[in-house]
Structures are given as C-alpha cells and as structure tokens.
Amino acid sequence: MPQSVPSIPRRVARTLRTSLFAQVACALVLGVLVGRLWPDMGTAVQPLGDGFVRLIKAMIAPLVFCVVVAGITKAGDLKAFGRIGIKALIWFEVATTVALVVGLLAGNLVSPGTGMNVDPSKLDASAVDEKTGGGELPSTSEFILHSLPDSAIGAFAENSLLQVLVLSCLVGAALLHLGQKKVPAILPAIEQGQEIVFAIVGFIMKLAPLAVFGATAHLVGEYGLGALTTYGKLIGVCYAVALLFLVLLGVALKALTGLSLWKFVRYTREEMLLALGTASSEAVMPRMMQKLRQAGCRDDAVGLVLPTGYSFNLDGASIYLSVGTLFIAQAVGVDLSLGQQITVVLVLMLTSKGMAGVPGSAFLALSATASALGVIPAGAVALLLGVDRIMDAMRVATNLLGNCVAVFVVSRWEGALDTARARKVLAGEIAFVPEQDAPAETAQEPGSADEGAAGPKSLTPSASRSPLPAEPSSTARE
C-alpha cells in the first residue's frame, strides 16, 4: 500500500515542533502583531527578551576562555596564534574603513537629510545625555588599558570579552610553556568545561522564540511604526548601504576562500533571525562559534577572531555613523567639505573601536565627531533618537556577518580552514549537529584541508583532544 502523506496541519505542526527557525519566525510575527495592537502588553513582555540575552551573556566569557585556551594548546604554536590576531586586526581595519567610506559616498549621493531645514536651537540636547547616561567614549589609551584585566575574577564578572581574551592567551601560553608532564589533566578538564557550557547554551536556546516575541513586541509597542515614514529616506539609505556592503563582503569571501556568503546565511538562518529579533549579536555568539567550527574553521581562529570582532569590527555601526553624520549635517543646513568628510572617516575609525559595551555609544561617537568638526551643533545628534532602534536590525546583521566573514578569511589566510569541509557544510551535505547533542567521539567527515591547515577537525571538542607539548619550547603544528 502507498505510504500515507501527512496532512498540511500535521506537517506544519511538526515543522514548528522541530525547527527553531520556524519557531523564531512565528514569534517575530506574533511580536509585531502584539506590539501593534496592544502596545502596553508589548512593553510588559520585554523581560522575556532581556532575560534570554542575560542568560546567553552569562555563558560567553567561560566559553571564550575554554575555546581560546584549548585552541592555543592544541595548535601547539603560540606564534601562529599571534599571527592570527595580527591578521584579524588588519582585516578589521580594512573592513570598517570600507564601511565608513561606502556610507559617506551613499550619504553624498542620496542626501537623506537635505530639505529638512531643522533649527538646531529647538532640539533638546538633554535627550542625548539621557540616552547616553552622561557617559563618554574611552580614549585610545583608556581603551587599551581597560582591555587588560586588573582582576581575573573581575574580567568574568564584568563579562569583558577583551579582558577574558587576554587571560585566555596567558593561560594558553603558560600551558604550552609548562608542557604535558607538568599539567597533564588541565586540557581535558578545560574541554569538558567547554562541553558543559555548550550544553547549557543548548538549553537556553530552547527559549529563543519567547525572547524574540518579547523583544519584538516591546520594540513595536514602544516606538510604533511611525518612524518608518518620518525617517524613511535615512532608513532606506542605511539599509541599502548595508546590503551593498554585504555584497562586497560576499565577493571578497568568494575571491579569498571560494565560499558563498549566501550559503552561509542559509546555514545560519536560525541564528541570524534570533539576532535580528533580539537586536543582539551576542545572543548568538556561542552558536555561531559552534557552526564556524563545524564548517571547517580551526578552534584557535574561531576563539580569537570572532570575540575580538565584537569590539573591533563593527561594520554595521560604521555605516550608521557615517550616514548619520551626513544626515545630521544636511538636516541643519551644514555643507561638509571634502576635508571635513575625511576628518569624519578618521575620527570614526578611532571612536568606533571603543563603542562596544558603552551605553548609547552611537550617540557618543556622533557627538565626538560633531565636536571634532566644529561646524555641527552637538544638539543636532538628537535628530537620530527616534530612528536609532530601527537601525538595530541593520547594525546587528552587518556586524555579525562581517565578523563571521572575518573568521573564514583569516582562517584561510593562516591555513586554518578546511575548505573542502566548509563547502560540504554550507551546501547542506553535512548537517549541523549542536555540540551538546553530538556523539562524544564522532570523527569529522574526511576532506582535504588547505595547505598548511591543521588537518581534519572533529565535530566535538572531545574528539580532537591532543596532548600538550612535552617540552616547554614551542612546537610546530601537527
């Protein structure tokens, strides 16, 4: 007898039960409806989104520590780790500079603020102070100093990724120096801790639909959809520039690694939708680390490049800042010369590096830029208060994809990318298995790694355990 085909309701129910992407998509639609029809209820369910992000953030610092330490010790070459860091910083600077320049070019071509004729004296500058809490961006020396921990416990308690990275590098270097004979049980313990963190992340991810519903309902309920018409031209320019920048990223990724950015977006569609719904790229960092590792990127490259990118590679924020600066100048009738626009790029290249984790950082960066130019009234920054939250989706998606592309490019540059495996994973030939659900000793699918790569990489941390070097001196990569 022919096998019966499930009815449409049953297939829909099964998809909702098994697909995180479908659950998050439905939660996003419900959040928009609730926020539009019952704004008060939308504001009331905000804690659902905030609570989810807090739970995920609690896991980021221990996860980064475990991945970086294990990556250094298994690679067995601290110099290679240093090269990865330098190459990552070079890529970050190039990418953010391109984002700033493309944003300025689009702002000049489209002129989103022209014709508004705003009187800056009538703007409430105190609203910007309320948004930023009276804070300011750190100077370059303060930023560097703050990245160095003054307390090992404090780095984890404050969830400071740069400080955790510094501690991780020191611990990894110490393990390589001491060698296998003196610390034989440390690396397995760290990897087991990593597996525990991934398991906890798996539990938390089951709450993702509730988080997206709460965050979306609050956003629509509090800000409404009116800003879409008031600032339509500015929103359109920012999103169009972000799309153009992602196309450029896709071309660079294809040229340098042979991989497709569109296929990567499909591969990470659940994480992308969750990041858009919660307006937080940190909410998906643990899962992105898993997916990048399973897509052929070596542990040490993922552990260093992705977290560092959250502070140094804010491509979406760079686009918003460059377009926003021109929008403000045009709205108040200030015509910026070429030299002043070059100054905008130089100032934003510095201020954008200190934005991560600072409340109202976009407004602080815009205020600093206005002060550096000396021709834009500081109070004019308040023009962007009504549209800032609507830009979150653009900033989050662009920042996140920019950092993931950086992992692939730097991994390929360093010979730490299994390109054959990456192609199979992105094509769907190898299914993603969350690490807490994968068999403990599952070997990786065979594939020819790039010349200089560290060889096949396992699906799980426990499958790729290798001993620490027996001697204190650095050893060559296996």
Side-chain angles (χ1 to χ4, degrees), residues 16-374:
L16 288 175
R17 186 175 64 252
T18 59
S19 172
L20 179 62
F21 177 79
Q23 295 170 6
V24 171
C26 288
L28 190 65
V29 174
L30 287 175
V32 172
L33 291 176
V34 170
R36 183 71 178 89
L37 300 176
W38 302 285
D40 293 338
M41 182 183 295
T43 302
V45 297
Q46 180 188 4
L48 293 175
D50 293 345
F52 175 84
V53 174
R54 289 171 67 94
L55 287 173
I56 288 291
K57 284 185 176 181
M59 295 293 104
I60 288 177
L63 177 60
V64 169
F65 178 82
C66 292
V67 170
V68 171
V69 172
I72 292 176
T73 51
K74 285 189 292 186
D77 187 357
L78 194 60
K79 291 182 179 179
F81 200 73
R83 288 197 305 269
I84 291 173
I86 293 173
K87 291 173 181 178
L89 291 177
I90 293 172
W91 176 262
F92 294 159
E93 194 58 51
V94 171
T96 52
T97 301
V98 170
L100 288 170
V101 172
V102 171
L104 282 178
L105 290 175
N108 280 291
L109 288 173
V110 182
S111 301
T114 300
M116 294 187 69
N117 301 319
V118 174
D119 183 358
S121 63
K122 297 182 179 179
L123 295 173
D124 185 9
S126 63
V128 178
D129 294 333
E130 182 180 349
K131 178 76 174 180
T132 60
E136 58 183 17
L137 291 175
S139 64
T140 302
S141 59
E142 290 172 340
F143 177 72
I144 295 174
L145 189 61
H146 184 68
S147 67
L148 303 177
D150 58 0
S151 166
I153 304 300
F156 288 88
E158 296 173 6
N159 211 25
S160 176
L161 281 185
L162 290 181
Q163 293 185 12
V164 171
L165 275 173
V166 171
L167 284 174
S168 305
C169 293
L170 292 175
V171 173
L175 290 176
L176 283 179
H177 176 73
L178 293 174
Q180 178 187 359
K181 294 181 179 179
K182 294 186 178 180
V183 284
I186 294 296
L187 182 57
I190 289 175
E191 289 182 322
Q192 288 169 6
Q194 178 177 300
E195 292 173 1
I196 292 172
V197 173
F198 276 131
I200 295 173
V201 170
F203 300 151
I204 299 173
M205 287 297 293
K206 297 183 184 298
L207 303 175
L210 290 176
V212 171
F213 169 74
T216 306
H218 167 66
L219 175 63
V220 177
E222 181 172 350
Y223 295 94
L225 301 176
L228 293 175
T229 56
T230 305
Y231 293 92
K233 197 173 183 180
L234 173 62
I235 295 170
V237 171
C238 285
Y239 276 81
V241 172
L243 183 60
L244 174 61
F245 179 77
L246 291 178
V247 170
L248 295 177
L249 272 185
V251 171
L253 180 65
K254 189 70 174 179
L256 297 174
T257 68
L259 303 178
S260 167
L261 181 60
W262 173 246
K263 289 183 178 180
F264 179 76
V265 171
R266 287 193 302 173
Y267 171 58
T268 57
R269 59 186 180 276
E270 296 172 351
E271 290 73 25
M272 292 300 302
L273 196 56
L274 175 59
L276 292 174
T278 58
S280 171
S281 55
E282 287 186 340
V284 297
M285 182 195 286
R287 285 269 292 201
M288 280 298 192
M289 294 180 78
Q290 290 187 57
K291 289 205 164 183
L292 287 166
R293 283 150 52 102
Q294 292 194 25
C297 297
R298 206 170 64 199
D299 289 3
D300 51 349
V302 174
L304 180 61
V305 178
L306 190 63
T308 307
Y310 275 67
S311 294
F312 287 92
N313 193 38
L314 303 175
D315 299 328
S318 298
I319 290 171
Y320 173 60
L321 291 175
S322 57
V323 176
T325 300
L326 282 185
F327 170 80
I328 293 170
Q330 293 163 359
V332 297
V334 174
D335 185 18
L336 297 180
S337 65
L338 178 61
Q340 289 171 326
Q341 293 192 32
I342 293 175
T343 302
V344 168
V345 172
L346 295 176
V347 172
L348 291 178
M349 283 173 61
L350 296 175
T351 56
S352 63
K353 301 298 183 293
M355 288 176 56
V358 180
S361 55
F363 293 97
L364 292 173
L366 288 168
S367 298
T369 306
S371 299
L373 293 174

